[in-house]
Amino acid sequence: MREREEPWEPPLLMVTVDLVILTLRASVLQVLLVERGIEPFAGCQALPGGFLSDEKEDLHAAALRELQEETNLDASRLHIEQLGTYGAPERDPRGRILTVAYLAIAPGLPEPVAGTDASGAAWTPVDRVLSGQVRLAFDHRQIFDDAVERARTKLEHSPLATKFCGGEFTIAELQGVYETVWDVKLDERNFYRKVQRIPGFIEPTGADRRAAKGRPARMFRAGPAKALHPPLTRPEGPHAEEES
Amino acid sequence: MREREEPWEPPLLMVTVDLVILTLRASVLQVLLVERGIEPFAGCQALPGGFLSDEKEDLHAAALRELQEETNLDASRLHIEQLGTYGAPERDPRGRILTVAYLAIAPGLPEPVAGTDASGAAWTPVDRVLSGQVRLAFDHRQIFDDAVERARTKLEHSPLATKFCGGEFTIAELQGVYETVWDVKLDERNFYRKVQRIPGFIEPTGADRRAAKGRPARMFRAGPAKALHPPLTRPEGPHAEEES
DNA sequence: TGAATAGTGTCTATGAGACATTATCTT
DNA sequence: AAGATAATGTCTCATAGACACTATTCA
């Protein structure tokens, strides 16, 4: 082992921060991708990100900054968490570049982002990437897969789903999040009771929402809970088992 | 956002790989710590680790290499996974240094490591660190806390516990792992049935182990499952709720 | 009124936890 | 036989899932 105490000059590396930003638009799970303008992988789709810039900037702050530049949303409605760091030697043809990947969840953003710094950014349905119809640069496919798997798992144990909704939402909308991300169909009635029984998950605002048809639905907001006890378990099925 | 395509020289950073190596010795959960010889934090305890050395070395491989240098165990019995990357600007007084932290689980190692490269390394009971009796250098306390929490959580959903045991173990031993890491008491009889019902978790070797007293116990080995369905849930209690 | 959506009630099978009981070893 | 540990059985209660039903809106 190379002791860090040795009088030896450690190698210097370049580090990027890349983002997997997921949102729900028109009941479709989408990810923000940018088209690369130059080599390597020119013309290819890639995750938004950039080099870790300021020597005094915290890693998490850097991710948040990039996220805001892409989506210009207030941080309070956003969820962001570190996904992992990717450091395979050949992941970038330009040389050894580490990337710290972040997963972000945003409520349905109005229109494809434009006019911001990140021109060329566009929402892309997640299944188009998962199915291979859209190819990603570098090892971004790997990062993307990990991100989707992380999101799916965290929906079970954390109140993450509320981050896909706005500040207020109906239970049916919340169920829609679960159904879309998990790609399953859930029973509305059992979901309704189950979700409300989890302490601190959601709390009623008192308001109703009336749609074009049907009985008005009660509105809820996210509660204080940081974890779901008991968890909302994903219905089992012919699932490939994954774990790190 | 700083596009990576710009003709602009990105900053270079130093990156270390640090390890939280957990093991079970005499039914006590222990972590491997080294005593720092020089400033900063001379004389303080720290997690073992070192600078990311070879430009062509994979991140994961680097962690594995450091781990083997510390414990000289064959990789097959070891578990290692990335924990996260820590990049607060002031985490190292020498300058901006990122660290990629790894969590490793090893079966009970015979004696305190010695004679290896890592002189000064010693097993330390985890509760001595958690309780603050042992102070750690840098932000290693944070990393350590995250590692313990990760291990506790993963015991529920993954066959991680078997990595604390050798190749073969009894169900009582496996239960001991859960009880020690979770710091709870479990019912032997319910545990016995529950564990065996989880498909692919453990499988009988056919052999028995006879102790000084009592009926011989059947031996098991880890099964092929990568995840536990259903999970082994930690008994609830006055738990502080944690989540990222 | 009917169509549509929201919300409630009920039944049943399964699983978790509490704990009694039986089995098999050593001394 | 005694003592100890392993393995099995039984009971009860809570919960998950299936699904019938009631409630409230708009057209």
Side-chain angles (χ1 to χ4, degrees), chain A residues 74-213:
Chain A
D74 48 301
S76 63
R77 297 178 125 197
L78 287 173
H79 170 87
I80 189 163
E81 67 181 81
Q82 194 184 105
L83 187 60
T85 299
Y86 296 77
E90 306 299 344
R91 61 175 297 278
D92 193 315
R94 290 166 295 181
R96 185 66 185 278
I97 301 182
L98 288 191
T99 203
V100 185
Y102 279 80
L103 166 65
I105 307 291
L109 303 191
E111 298 301 323
V113 265
T116 70
D117 268 357
S119 54
W123 293 110
T124 308
V126 156
D127 19 318
R128 288 178 51 91
V129 184
L130 286 177
S131 68
Q133 292 177 60
V134 174
R135 288 196 178 281
L136 299 186
F138 307 104
D139 55 357
H140 287 188
R141 172 62 194 269
Q142 173 72 47
I143 298 173
F144 170 81
D145 284 351
D146 293 347
V148 172
E149 183 55 34
R150 170 81 66 95
R152 284 178 169 159
T153 301
K154 287 208 83 170
L155 244 49
E156 299 191 66
H157 307 285
S158 84
L160 186 60
T162 61
K163 299 295 184 177
F164 279 106
C165 306
E168 299 198 355
F169 48 86
T170 68
I171 292 192
E173 285 166 355
L174 188 63
Q175 180 175 347
V177 173
Y178 279 91
E179 292 187 331
T180 304
V181 177
W182 283 349
D183 193 26
V184 294
K185 178 87 187 84
L186 302 175
D187 184 281
E188 308 86 13
R189 298 153 299 188
N190 291 334
F191 185 85
Y192 191 92
R193 274 185 292 99
K194 212 160 154 181
V195 165
Q196 296 202 53
R197 227 187 275 176
I198 301 173
F201 186 16
I202 58 173
E203 46 194 30
T205 67
D208 282 357
R209 166 180 300 170
R210 33 219 335 127
K213 302 199 157 188

Side-chain angles (χ1 to χ4, degrees), chain B residues 165-239:
Chain B
C165 307
E168 299 197 355
F169 48 86
T170 68
I171 291 191
E173 286 166 354
L174 187 63
Q175 180 175 347
V177 172
Y178 278 92
E179 293 187 331
T180 304
V181 177
W182 284 350
D183 191 27
V184 294
K185 179 85 186 86
L186 302 174
D187 184 281
E188 308 87 13
R189 298 151 303 187
N190 292 334
F191 185 85
Y192 191 92
R193 274 184 293 98
K194 211 160 155 180
V195 165
Q196 297 202 61
R197 226 187 277 176
I198 301 173
F201 185 16
I202 59 174
E203 47 194 31
T205 67
D208 282 358
R209 166 180 299 170
R210 33 225 328 133
K213 302 199 157 188
R215 175 174 175 176
R218 298 173 196 155
M219 302 298 292
F220 293 82
R221 71 172 74 89
K226 298 274 184 251
L228 267 31
H229 296 296
L232 272 171
T233 52
R234 193 166 7 169
E236 66 224 283
H239 269 302

Side-chain angles (χ1 to χ4, degrees), chain B residues 90-134:
Chain B
E90 306 299 345
R91 60 176 298 279
D92 193 317
R94 291 167 294 182
R96 185 69 186 275
I97 301 182
L98 288 190
T99 204
V100 184
Y102 279 80
L103 166 65
I105 306 291
L109 304 191
E111 300 301 323
V113 267
T116 69
D117 268 356
S119 53
W123 293 110
T124 308
V126 157
D127 18 317
R128 288 178 51 89
V129 184
L130 286 178
S131 68
Q133 293 178 60
V134 174

Side-chain angles (χ1 to χ4, degrees), chain A residues 1-6 8-18 34-39 46-59 65-66 69-70 79-92 94-100 102 117-119 138 140 150 154 157-159 199 224-227 229 241-244, chain B residues 1-6 8-18 34-39 46-59 65-66 69-70 79-92 94-100 102 117-119 138 140 150 154 157-159 199 224-227 229 241-244:
Chain A
M1 161 181 151
R2 281 234 177 69
E3 288 291 325
R4 83 160 47 121
E5 294 82 339
E6 285 177 16
W8 161 78
E9 206 59 26
L12 297 168
L13 292 97
M14 292 185 279
V15 177
T16 62
V17 173
D18 288 336
V34 300
E35 187 171 328
R36 285 184 58 79
I38 64 163
E39 293 296 339
L47 296 172
F51 283 101
L52 187 56
S53 55
D54 184 7
E55 292 241 337
K56 287 298 170 208
E57 186 178 39
D58 182 76
L59 208 47
R65 176 180 50 77
E66 304 239 2
E69 287 169 358
E70 299 287 353
H79 170 87
I80 189 163
E81 67 181 81
Q82 194 184 105
L83 187 60
T85 299
Y86 296 77
E90 306 299 344
R91 61 175 297 278
D92 193 315
R94 290 166 295 181
R96 185 66 185 278
I97 301 182
L98 288 191
T99 203
V100 185
Y102 279 80
D117 268 357
S119 54
F138 307 104
H140 287 188
R150 170 81 66 95
K154 287 208 83 170
H157 307 285
S158 84
K226 298 276 184 248
H229 295 294
E241 318 214 296
E242 305 282 344
E243 197 71 14
S244 76
Chain B
M1 164 180 151
R2 279 233 178 66
E3 288 290 323
R4 86 161 43 121
E5 292 84 338
E6 286 176 16
W8 161 78
E9 206 59 27
L12 297 168
L13 290 94
M14 293 185 279
V15 177
T16 63
V17 173
D18 288 335
V34 300
E35 187 172 328
R36 284 185 58 81
I38 63 163
E39 294 295 340
L47 296 172
F51 282 101
L52 188 56
S53 54
D54 184 7
E55 292 241 338
K56 285 299 170 207
E57 188 178 36
D58 183 77
L59 208 47
R65 175 180 50 77
E66 303 238 4
E69 286 168 0
E70 299 286 352
H79 168 87
I80 189 164
E81 67 180 82
Q82 194 182 108
L83 187 60
T85 298
Y86 296 77
E90 306 299 345
R91 60 176 298 279
D92 193 317
R94 291 167 294 182
R96 185 69 186 275
I97 301 182
L98 288 190
T99 204
V100 184
Y102 279 80
D117 268 356
S119 53
F138 306 103
H140 287 187
R150 169 81 67 97
K154 286 207 83 170
H157 307 286
S158 85
K226 298 274 184 251
H229 296 296
E241 317 216 297
E242 305 281 344
E243 196 71 16
S244 74

